[in-house]
């Protein structure tokens, strides 16, 4: 009973919507990046004998494991992670708010929740999202967020100046555009949205990591883990 009350309980929540599955010519998809990052956390938490669980979602929860600390449970959730390395779905959008509300209601109070998502919601309305964050905080959960984006394409809009066809992975909408003609407006718009998310996270005192999937997993994790030394002690 003493161990149950003092050891950490951690729920890792991974967005597996269609936008997270977009592959690049080189490197990992956002989903694969999140899975490898989650594997690092799981190994650390296992060494500390902390209880862990996994939740995979798009516009609803797809699978959700119990939170436990046994060796058998650890092996099971590592196999679950491996299965999602090649996961594919068509036109599945994201409803992070609904999923987080459900998690807030289900898991033990004073748990840690680690969220991996690109925040590519059906719309850019953040009020519902942060209502869910407040719900988690109200239930005394500690929340960490890894905002997974492929910076060259999704933040800098670094595409060649030739006519290209873009398809929205989650809605199927197709646009034929000249990247150089829309780059300035796109970059300003996504920067504003990302700043709003980052500011809100700071206001709620949530650890927030901008995870650029064009770089190695270590690039995001090592500075974060150095900052969060208590997770490795």
């Amino acid at each position: 009973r003493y161990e149950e009350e003092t050891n950490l309980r951690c729920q890792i929540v991974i967005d597996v919507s269609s936008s997270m599955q977009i592959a690049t010519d080189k490197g990992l998809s956002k989903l694969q990046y999140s899975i490898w990052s989650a594997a690092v956390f799981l190994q650390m938490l296992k060494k500390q004998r902390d209880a862990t669980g996994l939740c995979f979602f798009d516009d609803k929860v797809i699978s959700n494991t119990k939170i436990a600390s046994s060796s058998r449970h650890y092996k099971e959730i590592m196999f679950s992670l491996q299965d999602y390395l090649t996961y594919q779905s068509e036109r599945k959008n994201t409803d992070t708010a609904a999923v987080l509300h459900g998690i807030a209601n289900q898991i033990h109070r004073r748990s840690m929740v680690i969220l991996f998502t690109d925040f590519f919601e059906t719309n850019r309305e953040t009020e519902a999202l942060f209502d869910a964050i407040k719900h988690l905080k109200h239930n005394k959960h500690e929340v960490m967020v890894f905002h997974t984006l492929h910076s060259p394409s999704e933040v800098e809009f670094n595409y060649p100046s030739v006519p290209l066809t873009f398809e929205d992975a989650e809605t199927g909408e197709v646009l034929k555009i000249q990247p150089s003609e829309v780059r300035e407006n796109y970059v300003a718009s996504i920067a504003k949205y990302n700043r709003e998310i980052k500011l809100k996270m700071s206001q709620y005192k949530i650890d927030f990591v901008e995870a650029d999937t064009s770089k190695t997993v270590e690039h995001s994790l090592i500075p974060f883990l150095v900052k969060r030394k208590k997770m490795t002690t």
Side-chain angles (χ1 to χ4, degrees):
R1 182 177 179 182
Y2 175 77
E3 287 185 356
E4 181 180 339
E5 292 179 352
T6 56
N7 283 10
L8 179 69
R9 297 171 59 86
C10 180
Q11 177 84 316
I12 299 176
V13 185
I14 301 177
D15 176 359
V16 300
S17 61
S18 297
S19 65
M20 291 287 286
Q21 301 166 29
I22 298 173
T24 58
D25 293 336
K26 298 178 181 179
L28 303 172
S29 70
K30 289 177 286 185
L31 176 54
Q32 291 168 334
Y33 186 100
S34 300
I35 288 171
W36 281 110
S37 299
V40 173
F41 280 114
L42 287 171
Q43 188 167 1
M44 288 169 40
L45 295 164
K46 178 179 180 289
K47 287 181 179 179
Q48 298 170 187
R49 298 182 180 178
D50 293 324
T52 55
L54 286 175
C55 175
F56 301 96
F57 76 98
D58 43 42
D59 59 350
K60 61 184 183 302
V61 172
I62 297 174
S63 62
N64 191 16
T65 74
K66 64 181 180 180
I67 298 178
S69 58
S70 68
S71 295
R72 179 178 178 179
H73 176 72
Y74 173 76
K75 290 179 182 178
E76 288 175 350
I77 60 178
M78 288 300 287
F79 277 125
S80 295
L81 276 181
Q82 185 174 331
D83 288 342
Y84 277 91
L85 280 172
T86 54
Y87 179 79
Q88 291 185 328
S89 62
E90 289 188 7
R91 299 182 184 178
K92 296 299 294 185
N93 58 18
T94 316
D95 193 345
T96 309
V99 171
L100 293 183
H101 277 302
I103 288 171
N105 287 328
Q106 292 174 13
I107 62 176
H108 192 280
R109 284 191 171 229
R110 297 185 184 277
S111 297
M112 178 180 289
V113 177
I114 303 177
L115 171 65
F116 292 90
T117 182
D118 57 10
F119 288 116
F120 284 171
E121 306 283 322
T122 304
N123 56 56
R124 292 187 183 178
E125 178 53 61
T126 59
E127 185 175 347
L129 172 65
F130 286 100
D131 280 345
I133 296 286
K134 285 190 286 186
H135 190 179
L136 287 167
K137 298 290 285 186
H138 177 74
N139 285 4
K140 309 299 182 183
H141 300 306
E142 183 176 4
V143 183
M144 301 178 191
V145 173
F146 284 78
H147 188 188
T148 55
L149 289 174
H150 184 256
S151 186
S153 62
E154 296 174 336
V155 178
E156 302 164 14
F157 207 67
N158 186 14
Y159 290 98
S161 295
V162 295
L164 294 174
T165 300
F166 291 83
E167 180 179 350
D168 189 314
E170 299 190 357
T171 67
E173 181 182 0
V174 174
L175 290 175
K176 295 181 179 180
I177 59 174
Q178 171 68 262
S180 60
E181 294 177 358
V182 301
R183 181 176 292 115
E184 184 177 350
N185 286 338
Y186 172 88
V187 169
S189 177
I190 198 69
K192 180 181 178 182
Y193 179 58
N194 290 342
R195 280 196 305 270
E196 182 180 353
I197 291 173
K198 188 174 182 179
L199 177 61
K200 287 284 189 179
M201 295 294 178
S202 176
Q203 290 174 349
Y204 291 123
K205 295 181 172 57
I206 292 170
D207 274 325
F208 180 75
V209 178
E210 294 172 305
D212 181 359
T213 63
S214 69
K215 300 177 181 177
T216 63
V217 169
E218 293 86 350
H219 185 86
S220 296
L221 284 186
I222 290 176
F224 172 75
L225 294 175
V226 169
K227 176 184 173 185
R228 291 294 305 255
K229 287 183 180 179
K230 66 179 183 180
M231 287 194 67
T232 58
T233 58

